[in-house]
Amino acid sequence: MLADKRILLIIGGGIAAYKALDLIRRLREQGAHVTPVLTRAGEEFVTPLSVSALAAEKVYRDLFDLTDEAEMGHIELSRAADLVVVAPATADLMAKMAAGLAGDLASTLLLATDKRVLIAPTMNVRMWDHPATRRNLAQLLADGVLVVGPGEGTMACGEFGAGRMAEVPEIVAAIGAALGDGPLKGRHVIVTSGPTHEPIDPVRYIANRSSGAQGAAMAAALRDLGARVSFVTGPAAVPPPAGVDVVAVETAREMQAAVLAALPADAAVFAAAVADWRVVNAATQKMKKDGSGLPPALEFAENPDILAQVAQMGAGRPRLVVGFAAETETVADHATAKRARKGCDWIVANDVSPETGIMGGGENAVMLITGDGAESWPRMAKGEVARRLGLRIADALA
Ligand code: CTP
């Protein structure tokens, strides 16, 4: 998949640097050439010898490694690659990149390159959540830097949260996608995500607890596999992933219009928690208490079922239509019936009872229901569910 691609791999100083060794092996297995650069901090975690042995190339460590070579060695090094990958990308490296600093070899290469840059951040959750890191990340995304991960989980420091470096297969998939070589290359996939808001008046609305985390993870996974993704999202708690076409909507009917406008597509994944009902007598001005003590009477109408509409369309139907089923009891039975009723190809069912912590949480335990029956997947991070589902979608469209 990566035959003869040249990857400049910058290994920063984090406990996850050991994963960079495995990354080198996997990339070489796929036919890529890896030129490794080890930062001073990186050397505290992995040795130059093991890096260069696995890469079968010289490991660059210092700006002055390059002075005895051709003039402007760092420019050449940064441009000979097809892609620059930073794994692990520490908070310090991200800050240097965002600020355009060039005080050492790694930051100089990152400033000098004219190639795309993919980073795999890793750090303690508090560092990841710090406003400075948020600012740097936003700047890097605005600069066109590609980001894979971080995932959620228990970290080396014992804390739990976002900050764990993406796993090696995920980084390899992101590298493939960055080089335009993923299994979904040339495919267009629509993903709906998040809740919808149904107005009661200009300041009030009816909503639900969906965070949009599973939909965002789904869109990122499909992007990483090389798909062009139209991401139709209601007002979600998590930001949309970079590198997808975002269409932000509020109501179910706006979501329906956006999905229909995004067709044709090879596949459509309906991860949104669409409100089943809208208020038909929504007020145009803020509702006031009228002193009578009587509550206002809201009248409801059923919203269009976007999944069913797309699944049941004749010409122009995506080849694969995937729905989600959020249930709180007899999950398999309800979801199987939902698949038949809506006419979609697959249903990804999950139990959203409050005690599962799934709605709004970082993990999901799903059951995939296809024409061939039901499979229960173990509980895992939403990003991992998305990655596996993405691979299944790629298989189905192959
Ligand atoms: N869905 C949709 N449009 C709607 C309602 C739901 O596209 N108006 C999609 C969701 O995105 C999801 C699937 O349909 O993929 C199932 O949604 P869910 O809320 O679980 O099912 P409901 O249609 O509400 O069925 P029920 O009332 O039986 O739970």
Side-chain angles (χ1 to χ4, degrees):
M1 180 165 128
L2 298 173
D4 293 326
K5 299 289 184 195
R6 303 197 72 88
I7 291 162
L8 184 70
L9 174 65
I10 296 174
I11 303 170
I15 191 79
Y18 75 91
K19 290 190 197 170
L21 298 177
D22 191 32
L23 177 62
I24 294 172
R25 286 183 41 209
R26 301 290 162 227
L27 292 172
R28 292 196 63 214
E29 274 170 15
Q30 299 213 13
H33 300 282
V34 181
T35 305
V37 176
L38 193 53
T39 65
R40 278 268 156 71
E43 281 183 34
E44 303 289 333
F45 295 90
V46 290
T47 69
L49 189 60
S50 39
V51 172
S52 73
L54 283 169
E57 285 223 30
K58 173 185 164 77
V59 54
Y60 293 88
R61 298 156 65 189
D62 203 308
L63 205 43
F64 304 103
D65 286 354
L66 301 174
T67 51
D68 56 355
E69 295 181 14
E71 211 181 328
M72 305 289 278
H74 59 282
I75 304 275
E76 279 174 22
L77 188 57
S78 71
R79 296 189 179 176
D82 295 303
L83 183 73
V84 182
V85 177
V86 188
T90 57
D92 180 66
L93 265 172
M94 286 175 63
K96 284 178 173 145
M97 287 174 76
L101 294 179
D104 56 16
L105 179 61
S107 54
T108 303
L109 292 171
L110 287 160
L111 195 61
T113 190
D114 59 353
K115 297 295 167 21
R116 297 192 86 182
V117 177
L118 170 76
I119 65 171
T122 178
M123 63 199 72
N124 168 274
V125 60
R126 287 167 210 271
M127 293 168 74
W128 178 248
D129 286 340
H130 193 283
T133 306
R134 301 278 99 201
R135 262 195 319 273
N136 292 335
L137 179 66
Q139 184 60 56
L140 293 174
L141 290 172
D143 292 345
V145 170
L146 303 167
V147 181
V148 55
E152 263 192 7
T154 308
M155 284 175 282
C157 54
E159 284 188 78
F160 182 89
R164 240 163 68 143
M165 189 165 89
E167 296 301 329
V168 169
E170 212 180 324
I171 301 175
V172 173
I175 290 171
L179 292 167
D181 274 346
L184 288 173
K185 179 184 176 182
R187 305 286 188 203
H188 175 217
V189 185
I190 300 172
V191 178
T192 71
S193 181
T196 63
H197 285 183
E198 307 296 331
I200 296 170
D201 69 15
V203 296
R204 303 182 178 96
Y205 55 80
I206 293 171
N208 60 64
R209 294 185 198 280
S210 166
S211 65
Q214 187 63 76
M218 206 55 239
L222 293 164
R223 172 205 63 194
D224 290 347
L225 291 166
R228 176 166 76 81
V229 179
S230 294
F231 184 60
V232 181
T233 176
V238 302
V244 301
D245 299 330
V246 181
V247 187
V249 299
E250 202 167 313
T251 66
R253 288 197 295 176
E254 286 169 14
M255 185 170 275
Q256 177 194 34
V259 167
L260 296 179
L263 289 168
D266 297 287
V269 181
F270 292 85
V274 184
D276 287 327
W277 306 93
R278 67 177 179 277
V279 181
V280 280
N281 60 342
T284 52
Q285 302 297 334
K286 186 182 170 200
M287 285 181 175
K288 298 298 228 184
K289 290 187 286 292
D290 62 8
S292 69
L294 294 173
L298 300 179
E299 286 171 32
F300 292 90
E302 199 170 338
N303 270 328
D305 189 319
I306 313 166
L307 169 63
Q309 183 182 2
V310 172
Q312 291 167 27
M313 63 197 279
R317 181 194 193 271
R319 260 208 287 150
L320 185 70
V321 177
V322 182
F324 275 69
E327 308 291 349
T328 56
E329 54 178 358
T330 50
V331 176
D333 291 350
H334 276 147
T336 304
K338 201 169 274 185
R339 175 176 173 272
R341 192 169 71 241
K342 301 213 182 197
C344 55
D345 301 296
W346 299 351
I347 281 272
V348 184
N350 57 12
D351 185 342
V352 292
S353 308
E355 63 275 14
T356 65
I358 284 173
M359 214 160 190
E363 293 186 335
N364 206 349
V366 306
M367 184 179 280
L368 177 64
I369 296 165
T370 69
D372 298 331
E375 300 167 25
S376 285
W377 292 6
R379 193 176 172 115
M380 59 185 99
K382 287 183 175 174
E384 185 58 17
V385 171
R387 207 177 61 80
R388 291 194 188 193
L389 213 49
L391 289 171
R392 291 290 286 267
I393 291 171
D395 276 350
L397 294 180

